[in-house]
Amino acid sequence: LAYNGARTPLTDPSLPATGEAAWRHGVSAMAKVYAPRMETIRPFAGIGLGAAYINITDNAEPRFQNDYVAEIPLGAGVELNTGAGISAGLRAMYRFQAGEEFAENAVTGESPEGGLLSAGLTLGGSF
């Protein structure tokens, strides 16, 4: 289970230069499958379901609008477990998004649909 958030500046020249942005708040659940019989270095792949709320700053409306978006996250990565209580991981994820209507008024004749690519590095420990 995960929560993720982001602030993305809107660089549309028709907007006032007052720091307009899209705030994204999302939740998702993902199932991971690991390579069998690998305990120290564990490659994995995963798929999940999620949803996000995109909140547009006031001065960017009505060109952009607040919206809910459905997501299908796909991920792959590798985890390292040392056995001494230290772990590390590297992952890449692409979130296919559906139902994006927040940018319908921004560009005439073009689809506002797309996705979100992200990568992450984790470091952990146990005691």
Side-chain angles (χ1 to χ4, degrees):
L1 299 173
Y3 163 82
N4 51 62
R7 180 189 180 277
T8 305
L10 297 173
T11 57
D12 189 317
S14 69
L15 296 176
T18 58
E20 300 313 314
W23 289 88
R24 180 185 168 283
H25 301 279
V27 294
S28 61
M30 178 179 252
K32 294 192 296 187
V33 177
Y34 290 91
R37 298 188 204 128
M38 297 183 80
E39 296 299 322
T40 303
I41 297 176
R42 300 179 66 195
F44 68 87
I47 187 169
L49 290 173
Y53 178 67
I54 299 172
N55 184 288
I56 304 298
T57 54
D58 293 339
N59 287 336
E61 294 179 12
R63 187 143 177 96
F64 296 90
Q65 61 190 10
N66 299 334
D67 193 14
Y68 288 95
V69 177
E71 299 179 341
I72 299 174
L74 298 175
V78 63
E79 293 177 348
L80 171 67
N81 296 313
T82 64
I86 297 174
S87 63
L90 178 65
R91 83 167 46 184
M93 185 174 302
Y94 186 80
R95 296 174 182 278
F96 291 95
Q97 296 181 326
E100 314 92 303
E101 297 174 0
F102 66 93
E104 276 188 344
N105 298 330
V107 181
T108 306
E110 291 188 30
S111 172
E113 295 185 6
L116 178 64
L117 178 64
S118 63
L121 177 64
T122 60
L123 182 60
S126 61
F127 53 93

